């Protein structure tokens, strides 16, 4: 049989880069970039995707635990046996303890989430949690609290682009092209990051604040712009709520004080502030991970985005634009949200996401009659702002709720890809999982979480399944490049078939993936058959580009209908939870402990060949860093008597890990950078489980006090 080139895509990160897969006898021979969606290139992780899907630790068949949890004793079972046992256990727990006694979780990838979310609602609970409890959603919260929508930079039309913890060369393939084009056209660039990344070489100015001090820096810029008369007073009067309170607050962030907080020289601070003030149109891109990953992270996001509000750079050309378009232009997110809402239960306390201004704006005529009542989702009482803005439970409160059984017990977890390493102090998570009455994990590989499950089901990769993909005004349906390996199934097939086994009152969900896709496309003007017949993406009929200014004209999805520097949503929880409606800066670290732990541990910085823990067992991705290592400034290393590749011990109040030293000036003095997802050096294990942002519940991965010492060899 001759080679056949089949169109597919990579699912390692959320970018979904297109791939041409060379197949012979249903075997993947090689991979090349496709021109759709990714500019004709793929990253180093994409090129290693073949090795990824053929990892030796692929789960090959459904199995049932027969020994103690974690003992590694399993017996193969059929899919029918697995479905029958899972359905019986989950329905039995629902009958005995209520639907909320089951928590449903999902990690990567994200394509099936609307279907899974609807499944959970049809089961009768709001306890839907995802890895976004530590990624992106805190940034979304900051953006929606200000603007009622997620935003994106209109870099191409800006005078100045501010990249805040911006590293498109390691994270998000081909995004670097827009930066390179912008720079070639003469645009100014300000990069802000304590770590030196490849983006820095494109910058006119680089600022290196201490980790977690970004909110103070942003408030200084806000104060400077106000003092220099560089705000847009007409815009503020028409569209901004809380400016007078904001102006009064940021006045305290003087040049001298901000230099002390951020550890940036005053001269550099002033130079950057002058550049912003001299740029009428500026856009900002804020990392959805690095900036929120502090105990003050969500407020830092608000402080940064507030700069666009006071200068008239939200919903204006060359500033930042809304990501979610109005319904009149076809928006797949709106349709999928409606798909999820069709079986939504109502929280018995009336709170949560269905109480938010954004949700009511999208669902003004929603009918609650006959809806099931359920208990508030996990994390609601502890993180009420998260609960109202994000349509998920806060998974960082899962461990506590399982162990403490308050406000109600969690008896089971059904997970599609649970990665213990995203949880801080995760030995506690593993103990909590072992306490459950029932635990199911669906995954491609034998992860630590899968090893303590009662039933494990094998999922397939993106090469082995179909998926409906939208990108801008285009839509496509990708069919499998190869047959599912071993006995694996796609996540949606598992969800749909389990819904059928459980006889959930949801005919659409039980109809299978193609039936679900047809239902989702019913108002789009594109059929599934036409997508299957097309060799490439199809433009969505009537899909129009967004015109800047439309959101402002229509009124924003905030309580006041304006940009809220003073958040009326947060104000509801000021007295009960001590939360601040203004973008107030709180230090990310307590003063106590600095003498014992003089360094700042920043966990989570990306390296080019890794993405979370997904490439830990892919040999071809180990050429840059074959062993766990921490980035340490050479000046710090000299004082400690540490040389390149020396074994070192990083210690916090929670524990220690053993790694090697990688000496680099990319690391700022006083800060040690550690990649998160090493199998044998899990840095998140030594971060206290209560080191969380009170607004978002996000872990403070990137600001932890630590000590470093050279490990003595026997």
């Amino acid at each position: 049989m001759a080679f056949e080139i089949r169109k597919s895509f990579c699912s390692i990160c959320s970018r979904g880069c297109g791939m041409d897969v060379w197949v012979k006898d249903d075997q993947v021979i090689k991979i090349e970039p496709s021109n759709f969606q990714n500019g004709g290139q793929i990253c180093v992780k994409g090129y290693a995707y073949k090795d990824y899907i053929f990892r030796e630790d692929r789960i090959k068949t459904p199995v049932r635990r027969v020994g103690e949890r974690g003992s590694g004793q399993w017996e193969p079972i059929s899919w029918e046996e697995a479905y029958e046992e899972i359905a019986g256990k989950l329905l039995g727990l629902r009958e005995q303890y209520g639907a909320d006694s089951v928590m449903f979780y999902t990690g990567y990838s994200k394509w099936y989430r609307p279907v899974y979310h609807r499944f959970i609602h049809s089961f009768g609970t709001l306890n839907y949690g995802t890895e976004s409890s530590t990624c992106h959603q805190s940034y979304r919260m900051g953006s929606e609290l200000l603007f009622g929508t997620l935003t994106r930079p209109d870099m191409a039309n800006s005078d100045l682009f501010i990249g805040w913890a911006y590293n498109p060369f390691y994270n998000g393939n081909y995004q670097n092209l827009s930066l390179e084009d912008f720079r070639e056209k003469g645009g100014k660039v300000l990069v802000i990051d304590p770590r030196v990344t490849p983006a820095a070489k494109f910058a006119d100015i680089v600022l290196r604040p201490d980790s977690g001090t970004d909110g103070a820096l942003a408030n200084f810029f806000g104060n400077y712009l106000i003092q220099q008369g560089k705000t847009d007073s007409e815009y503020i009067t028409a569209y901004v709520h809380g400016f007078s309170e904001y102006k009064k607050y940021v006045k305290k962030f003087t040049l001298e004080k901000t230099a002390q907080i951020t550890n940036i020289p005053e001269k550099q601070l002033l130079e950057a502030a002058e550049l912003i003030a001299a740029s009428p149109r500026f856009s900002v891109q804020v990392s959805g991970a690095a900036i929120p990953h502090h105990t003050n992270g969500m407020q830092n996001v608000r402080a940064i985005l507030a700069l666009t509000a006071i200068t008239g750079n939200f919903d204006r050309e060359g500033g930042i634009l809304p990501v979610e378009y109005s319904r009149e232009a076809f928006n797949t997110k709106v349709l999928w949200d409606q798909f999820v809402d069709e079986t939504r239960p109502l929280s018995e306390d009336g709170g949560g996401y269905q109480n938010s201004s954004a949700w009511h704006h999208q669902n003004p005529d929603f009918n609650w009659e006959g809806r099931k009542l359920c208990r508030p989702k996990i994390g609601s009482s502890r993180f009420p702002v998260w609960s109202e803005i994000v349509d998920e439970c806060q998974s960082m409160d899962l461990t506590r709720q399982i162990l403490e059984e308050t406000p109600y017990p969690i008896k089971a977890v059904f997970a599609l890809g649970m990665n213990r390493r995203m949880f801080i102090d995760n030995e506690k998570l593993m103990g909590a999982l072992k306490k459950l009455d029932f635990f199911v994990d669906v995954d491609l590989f034998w992860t630590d979480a899968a090893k303590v499950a009662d039933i494990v089901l094998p999922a397939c990769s993106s090469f082995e399944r179909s998926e409906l993909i939208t990108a801008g005004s285009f839509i496509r349906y990708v069919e499998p490049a190869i047959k599912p390996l071993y006995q694996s199934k796609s996540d949606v097939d598992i969800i749909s078939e389990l819904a059928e086994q459980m006889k959930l009152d949801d005919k659409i969900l039980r109809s299978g993936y193609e039936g679900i896709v047809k239902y989702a496309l019913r108002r789009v003007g594109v059929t599934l058959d036409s997508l299957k017949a097309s060799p490439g993406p199809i433009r969505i009929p009537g899909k129009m580009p967004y015109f800047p200014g439309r959101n402002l004209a229509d009124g924003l999805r905030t309580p006041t209908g304006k940009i809220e520097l003073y958040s009326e949503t947060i104000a509801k929880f000021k007295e009960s939870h001590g939360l601040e409606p203004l973008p107030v800066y709180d230090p990310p670290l307590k003063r106590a402990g600095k003498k014992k732990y003089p360094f700042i541990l920043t966990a989570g910085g990306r390296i080019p060949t890794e993405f979370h823990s997904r490439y830990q067992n892919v040999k071809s991705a180990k050429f840059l860093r074959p062993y766990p290592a921490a980035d340490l400034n050479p000046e710090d290393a000299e004082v400690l008597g540490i040389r390149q590749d020396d074994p070192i011990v990083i210690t916090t109040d929670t524990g220690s890990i053993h790694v090697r030293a990688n000496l680099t000036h990319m690391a700022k003095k006083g800060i040690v950078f550690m990649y998160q997802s090493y199998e044998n050096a899990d840095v998140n294990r030594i971060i206290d489980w209560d080191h969380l942002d009170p607004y978002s519940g996000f872990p403070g991965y990137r600001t932890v006090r630590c000590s470093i010492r050279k490990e003595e060899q026997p």
Side-chain angles (χ1 to χ4, degrees):
M1 178 181 176
F3 290 109
E4 184 179 353
I5 299 176
R6 298 174 183 172
K7 298 291 183 181
S8 194
F9 60 98
C10 176
S11 65
I12 289 298
C13 73
S14 300
R15 189 60 46 190
C17 294
M19 291 178 168
D20 288 338
V21 184
W22 291 56
V23 178
K24 183 177 182 181
D25 298 329
D26 211 43
Q27 298 293 314
V28 178
I29 306 301
K30 70 174 182 177
I31 296 168
E32 291 181 339
S34 174
N35 286 325
F36 174 67
Q37 195 175 347
N38 58 320
Q41 62 173 322
I42 52 177
C43 71
V44 63
K45 296 179 282 291
Y47 278 110
Y49 195 65
K50 175 186 172 184
D51 295 338
Y52 169 77
I53 66 173
F54 287 103
R55 274 172 48 174
E56 293 180 0
D57 59 340
R58 277 287 296 255
I59 300 169
K60 298 181 179 180
T61 182
V63 295
R64 177 196 293 124
R65 176 177 62 85
V66 294
E68 293 294 322
R69 279 192 173 135
S71 67
Q73 299 177 66
W74 308 94
E75 64 176 0
I77 56 176
S78 68
W79 278 101
E80 291 74 18
E81 289 176 290
Y83 287 148
E84 184 176 353
E85 183 166 340
I86 293 168
K89 290 281 189 180
L90 296 185
L91 292 174
L93 289 168
R94 185 176 71 174
E95 178 68 23
Q96 186 174 0
Y97 300 104
D100 309 299
S101 67
V102 183
M103 189 271 193
F104 295 87
Y105 178 85
T106 175
Y108 267 81
S109 54
K110 302 182 180 184
W111 68 283
Y112 52 78
R113 288 190 181 183
V115 180
Y116 190 39
H117 204 166
R118 179 174 172 130
F119 170 87
I120 296 160
H121 284 173
S122 294
F123 183 77
T125 182
L126 294 171
N127 276 337
Y128 163 73
T130 82
E131 53 73 44
S132 295
S133 288
T134 69
C135 179
H136 180 67
Q137 288 289 15
S138 180
Y139 166 72
R140 175 183 286 275
M141 287 177 67
S143 184
E144 291 196 357
L145 286 166
L146 274 165
F147 309 119
T149 182
L150 193 62
T151 57
R152 62 180 176 86
D154 185 21
M155 184 195 300
N157 295 306
S158 300
D159 302 312
L160 168 69
F161 170 71
I162 304 175
W164 219 302
Y166 175 70
N167 185 14
F169 296 87
Y170 290 179
N171 181 26
N173 184 40
Y174 84 88
Q175 291 184 89
N176 58 294
L177 297 178
S178 57
L179 175 64
E180 294 175 19
D181 290 344
F182 178 70
R183 199 70 178 93
E184 287 179 5
K185 291 191 298 184
K188 298 291 185 180
V189 176
L190 169 61
V191 168
I192 302 171
D193 199 321
R195 187 175 182 225
V196 177
T197 70
K201 70 179 181 179
F202 293 91
D204 295 274
I205 297 175
V206 177
L207 295 182
R208 302 180 69 184
D210 281 354
S211 296
T213 63
D214 308 273
L217 178 58
N219 286 335
F220 162 71
F221 288 147
N223 183 38
Y224 183 86
L225 291 168
I226 292 169
Q227 299 303 320
Q228 297 298 314
K230 295 296 183 178
T231 58
D232 189 328
S233 58
E234 291 184 7
Y235 182 97
I236 291 169
T237 300
Y239 303 119
V240 178
H241 172 70
F243 176 73
S244 59
E245 296 94 329
Y246 171 83
K247 178 181 178 180
K248 181 179 179 180
Y249 173 70
V250 299
K251 194 172 183 179
K252 68 177 69 175
F253 291 91
T254 63
L255 180 63
E256 181 181 14
K257 181 177 179 179
T258 306
Q260 292 172 351
I261 294 172
T262 62
N263 200 18
I264 299 173
E266 291 184 16
K267 182 180 178 181
Q268 292 182 17
L269 286 172
L270 191 58
E271 185 181 11
E274 290 171 346
L275 178 61
I276 297 173
S279 306
R281 296 181 302 173
F282 67 84
S283 58
V284 185
Q285 181 153 328
V286 181
S287 168
I291 299 303
H293 284 165
H294 308 276
T295 56
N296 60 6
M298 200 282 289
Q299 287 285 61
N300 287 350
V301 171
R302 291 184 67 219
I304 293 167
L305 295 178
L307 300 176
T308 66
I310 65 174
T311 56
N313 276 303
F314 166 71
D315 203 16
R316 292 280 180 86
E317 186 177 271
I320 58 174
L321 300 177
V323 169
E324 297 168 18
Y325 305 154
S326 56
R327 289 192 190 189
E328 291 75 36
F330 170 66
N331 176 6
T332 54
K333 184 182 185 305
V334 169
L335 291 184
W336 283 120
D337 285 349
Q338 292 172 347
F339 176 81
V340 168
D341 283 336
E342 285 176 351
T343 60
R344 174 183 293 277
L346 174 64
S347 179
E348 63 186 10
D349 67 352
Y353 182 66
Q354 65 265 24
N355 193 42
S356 70
S357 297
W359 190 84
H360 279 292
H361 189 280
Q362 286 189 183
N363 302 275
D365 302 316
F366 195 80
N367 182 12
W368 286 107
E369 186 177 349
R371 297 275 168 171
K372 298 175 184 175
L373 282 179
C374 65
R375 285 173 283 192
K377 59 192 177 185
I378 293 168
S380 291
S381 59
R382 191 177 180 190
F383 306 109
V385 180
W386 164 279
S387 182
E388 187 158 318
I389 300 298
V390 181
D391 194 16
E392 302 174 12
C393 62
Q394 180 37 278
S395 302
M396 291 300 100
D397 203 35
L398 171 65
T399 299
R400 183 208 59 77
Q401 185 155 340
I402 293 174
L403 295 176
E404 296 180 4
E405 298 190 348
T406 58
Y408 54 85
I410 300 297
K411 295 294 185 180
V413 170
F414 183 95
L416 300 177
M418 177 172 275
N419 182 3
R420 69 171 283 181
R421 290 178 212 150
M422 64 165 274
F423 291 80
I424 53 178
D425 204 355
N426 50 52
E427 288 296 338
K428 285 187 172 66
L429 169 73
M430 298 302 286
L433 294 177
K434 291 178 182 179
K435 181 185 174 182
L436 294 169
D437 289 6
F438 192 53
F439 175 36
V440 178
D441 194 45
V442 182
D443 214 317
L444 279 80
F445 310 109
W446 279 103
T447 65
D448 291 342
K451 292 174 184 176
V452 298
D454 295 292
I455 290 181
V456 179
L457 304 178
C460 61
S461 72
S462 61
F463 281 8
E464 304 158 56
R465 57 170 169 77
S466 301
E467 181 176 339
L468 181 72
I469 300 175
T470 56
S473 58
F474 289 91
I475 190 167
R476 69 189 295 221
Y477 188 78
V478 180
E479 298 193 81
I482 58 174
K483 295 177 182 178
L485 296 174
Y486 318 111
Q487 294 184 40
S488 65
K489 291 177 178 279
S490 83
D491 300 272
V492 168
D493 286 345
I494 294 170
I495 295 165
S496 183
E497 290 167 6
L498 186 57
E500 176 65 27
Q501 179 72 39
M502 298 170 75
K503 304 302 180 187
L504 294 183
D505 185 18
D506 192 334
K507 292 181 180 179
I508 301 301
L509 196 63
R510 291 162 60 179
S511 67
Y513 190 48
E514 289 199 1
I516 292 168
V517 169
K518 289 176 181 178
Y519 184 75
L521 293 175
R522 68 193 186 281
R523 295 197 302 267
V524 177
V526 176
T527 67
L528 179 58
D529 288 341
S530 65
L531 288 170
K532 285 185 174 183
S534 174
I538 294 177
R539 182 181 289 277
I540 300 167
K543 174 80 171 174
M544 300 295 291
Y546 180 77
F547 294 100
R550 186 168 183 176
N551 267 39
L552 288 172
D554 291 346
L556 305 184
R557 297 185 304 178
T558 61
T560 60
K562 293 186 174 185
I563 302 169
E564 293 196 354
L565 294 176
Y566 183 97
S567 170
E568 295 296 341
T569 297
I570 297 177
K572 293 188 294 185
F573 309 107
K574 181 176 174 62
E575 290 189 13
S576 61
H577 289 74
L579 304 181
E580 294 291 344
L582 290 171
V584 166
Y585 171 76
D586 284 317
L589 290 171
K590 299 176 182 177
R591 291 186 178 183
K594 187 174 182 180
K595 186 174 181 180
K596 184 177 180 180
Y597 300 109
F599 287 90
I600 297 174
L601 172 61
T602 295
R606 294 287 171 87
I607 52 180
T609 56
E610 300 279 2
F611 187 78
H612 305 324
S613 59
R614 306 187 83 181
Y615 275 83
Q616 284 296 292
N617 292 315
V618 177
K619 293 180 180 178
S620 61
K622 296 298 179 186
F623 60 91
L624 280 182
R625 190 168 291 189
Y627 45 77
D631 290 344
L632 189 64
N633 186 279
E635 294 181 42
D636 290 329
E638 185 177 3
V639 172
L640 296 169
I642 294 171
R643 296 182 178 181
Q644 177 68 27
D645 292 331
D646 276 351
I648 61 173
V649 182
I650 301 175
T651 301
T652 70
D653 261 342
T654 306
S656 299
I657 57 170
H658 301 253
V659 297
R660 298 194 197 183
N662 180 54
L663 308 189
T664 172
H665 286 285
M666 292 175 67
K668 186 177 181 180
K669 190 176 178 182
I671 304 177
V672 56
F673 292 87
M674 181 72 191
Y675 184 68
Q676 282 178 311
S677 296
Y678 289 117
E679 186 172 15
N680 299 317
D682 181 2
V683 68
N684 290 347
R685 182 179 59 80
I686 64 169
I687 301 175
D688 185 79
W689 72 328
D690 201 37
H691 193 56
L692 302 171
D693 182 344
Y695 294 83
S696 68
F698 264 44
Y701 294 130
R702 300 180 191 242
T703 37
V704 181
R705 292 205 185 281
C706 75
S707 65
I708 305 167
R709 64 175 173 85
K710 182 177 179 179
E711 186 171 11
E712 299 300 327
Q713 297 299 297

